[in-house]
Amino acid sequence: MRDFSRAERIVIKIGTNLLSKNHSVDTGYLASMAGQIAEIRGRGKKVLVVTSGAVGMGAGELGIREKITGVKMRQACASIGQPLLMKEYKDAFQVHGIIIAQILLTREVLNNRRSYLNLRNSVETLLDLGVIPIFNENDSISTAEIGNAFGDNDRLSALVASKVDADLLILLTDIDALYTANPRENPDAVPIPTVEKVTPEILACAGAAGSAFSTGGMKTKVLAAQIAGKAGCAMVLAHGREESVLPRILAGEPLGTVFLAGEKLASRQRWILNSAPRGRIVVDEGAIQAMRKHKSLLPSGVHEVHGVFAAGDVIWVNEVAKIVTGLDSAEIKSLLGRHSSEIRRLLGEKKRDVVARPEDIVFPD
Ligand code: GLU
């Protein structure tokens, strides 16, 4: 039996396919969503929404019917579509006397500790005011090509849930559950009601389906569950057109697939885990073993340095661990092949002779 009665903060992600109808917003659907959200909010829950659909709405406004593939066109469509989308949200929530707010995010905002704290202040203020914050990616300035995009709103919604310490993330989509295989291709596929942990087998169940305007598929949804789970947040994946889907999920009805929350990592560990790495170093196996035993990573274990990064950046170690590096790429390079006694002298008195301390090391697996 699912029990979300104690869930206080709920992030709801609404996908493009649900929101659009005839290349515009499906106002009837949005009205139903606003009604359901008003109902659960009336029970004292704090609700945050992550919306998709800006690119699709912009394309519709321009009379474009096919998938937008060009980066510049995608950016243009997002800036045309986003205000149209927000106008629809405003109208839908106004009926219930609820004020909404728009927050557009880039990956850098969440990666950077200072802008993240600013974001947290504004979100907390909005929630205290009883306003519903509505998030989307700032698609007109962040693109995958320059490496600063979240890529899809499934991931974005999980990162928002993690940052605001949500208890529950609800991903509403046009598929009713995670299946053992893609149900559109495999008639033997059966729905999976509960996922205790995202394992490679569970990831293998998720194909890579998408649609003309949205970017996510089942895989990005399972990966979102993984991010949420590490923040101690459960995730429910359900069909967004199911009657009264939100109140029924909260009442514990077994709709869709629930991904149970995992052990909640500390906020700093989550920040390391979810940050886009700025570079990569390769270390010997002994150093990896030591890191797994909560020991510091020392410069003498490093064999290769890739990329240019600063002290304080998050980088990969052998692509098995993420660390906040205490030394920049040039410093680490200058120490390659040096004995630890030399390293102390080369770094000088003021500098710590560690690449990363145990609290700056996270193993994603
Ligand atoms: N941010 C995109 C939009 O609003 C959607 C991304 C997604 O579908 O995951 O159009």
Side-chain angles (χ1 to χ4, degrees):
M1 171 65 190
R2 301 179 191 181
D3 181 8
F4 298 126
S5 57
R6 278 201 289 271
E8 278 171 20
R9 288 190 172 205
I10 302 162
V11 176
I12 299 164
K13 185 251 168 175
I14 313 174
T16 298
N17 293 349
L18 293 171
L19 283 168
S20 47
K21 190 174 165 189
N22 301 328
H23 307 283
S24 180
V25 174
D26 184 343
T27 47
Y29 181 71
L30 209 48
S32 147
M33 270 298 118
Q36 294 180 47
I37 292 173
E39 185 184 332
I40 57 177
R41 218 185 62 125
R43 295 189 216 152
K45 313 284 185 198
K46 303 247 195 237
V47 178
L48 302 93
V49 172
V50 174
T51 189
S52 294
V55 175
M57 295 313 136
E61 186 75 356
L62 289 171
I64 300 172
R65 297 289 176 259
E66 57 280 356
K67 185 177 169 80
I68 309 287
T69 47
V71 178
K72 289 181 187 166
M73 204 55 192
R74 202 179 145 80
Q75 291 174 300
C77 286
S79 35
I80 295 166
Q82 181 65 25
L84 304 177
L85 193 57
M86 292 311 290
K87 166 78 171 65
E88 299 293 342
Y89 272 100
K90 181 180 185 298
D91 292 348
F93 277 100
Q94 204 162 31
V95 175
H96 304 277
I98 296 175
I99 297 174
I100 55 139
Q102 167 186 270
I103 301 184
L104 297 179
L105 291 178
T106 62
R107 203 162 175 195
E108 274 139 12
V109 169
L110 293 191
N111 276 352
N112 178 293
R113 184 132 183 99
R114 194 179 305 165
S115 54
Y116 154 60
L117 291 175
N118 273 336
L119 169 74
R120 200 174 59 181
N121 287 342
S122 56
V123 171
E124 294 302 330
T125 309
L126 290 168
L127 291 176
D128 286 346
L129 288 167
V131 172
I132 297 191
I134 302 186
F135 295 80
N136 195 359
E137 178 156 13
N138 196 346
D139 296 296
S140 16
I141 63 160
S142 64
T143 61
E145 287 65 20
I146 56 170
N148 67 346
F150 295 102
D152 62 83
N153 278 9
D154 297 325
R155 183 182 170 84
L156 172 63
S157 61
L159 291 171
V160 168
S162 170
K163 291 288 183 190
V164 303
D165 287 305
D167 310 291
L168 179 62
L169 168 63
I170 301 176
L171 285 197
L172 297 178
T173 182
D174 57 353
I175 299 173
D176 60 357
L178 173 68
Y179 281 73
T180 47
N182 185 345
R184 287 172 184 157
E185 288 162 9
N186 190 331
D188 297 330
V190 288
I192 305 173
T194 306
V195 172
E196 281 179 26
K197 191 174 178 353
V198 176
T199 57
E201 292 73 37
I202 290 293
L203 269 169
C205 294
S211 77
F213 293 110
S214 67
T215 46
M218 200 44 91
K219 188 149 190 191
T220 57
K221 291 174 178 51
V222 175
L223 292 173
Q226 200 167 36
I227 294 171
K230 290 193 160 105
C233 174
M235 185 181 109
V236 173
L237 171 75
H239 199 301
R241 290 192 182 268
E242 187 77 46
E243 186 73 30
S244 295
V245 62
L246 296 175
R248 286 170 63 198
I249 287 173
L250 282 181
E253 256 194 64
L255 291 174
T257 300
V258 64
F259 296 78
L260 302 183
E263 193 195 332
K264 186 169 179 166
L265 294 183
S267 119
R268 182 171 168 78
Q269 300 231 298
R270 277 184 265 153
W271 169 70
I272 297 172
L273 201 57
N274 296 328
S275 285
R278 298 272 180 184
R280 181 168 69 89
I281 57 174
V282 178
V283 305
D284 57 43
E285 200 37 49
I288 294 287
Q289 297 306 332
M291 286 161 66
R292 285 203 188 271
K293 288 186 191 133
H294 306 288
K295 301 254 165 54
S296 293
L297 173 61
L298 302 175
S300 53
V302 184
H303 293 307
E304 292 170 31
V305 180
H306 299 271
V308 177
F309 49 82
D313 281 349
V314 173
I315 60 167
W316 272 120
V317 178
N318 294 17
E319 306 213 8
V320 297
K322 276 179 162 182
I323 62 165
V324 182
T325 176
L327 302 174
D328 66 34
S329 47
E331 283 170 326
I332 303 179
K333 262 189 190 151
S334 72
L335 302 175
L336 291 181
R338 304 282 187 165
H339 194 265
S340 33
S341 55
E342 275 180 286
I343 288 174
R344 181 65 282 166
R345 185 175 50 79
L346 286 166
L347 279 174
E349 279 309 304
K350 288 202 193 73
K351 201 102 191 178
R352 296 177 63 107
D353 57 347
V354 294
V355 180
R357 295 167 302 173
E359 60 270 33
D360 291 333
I361 301 170
V362 179
F363 284 88
D365 55 15

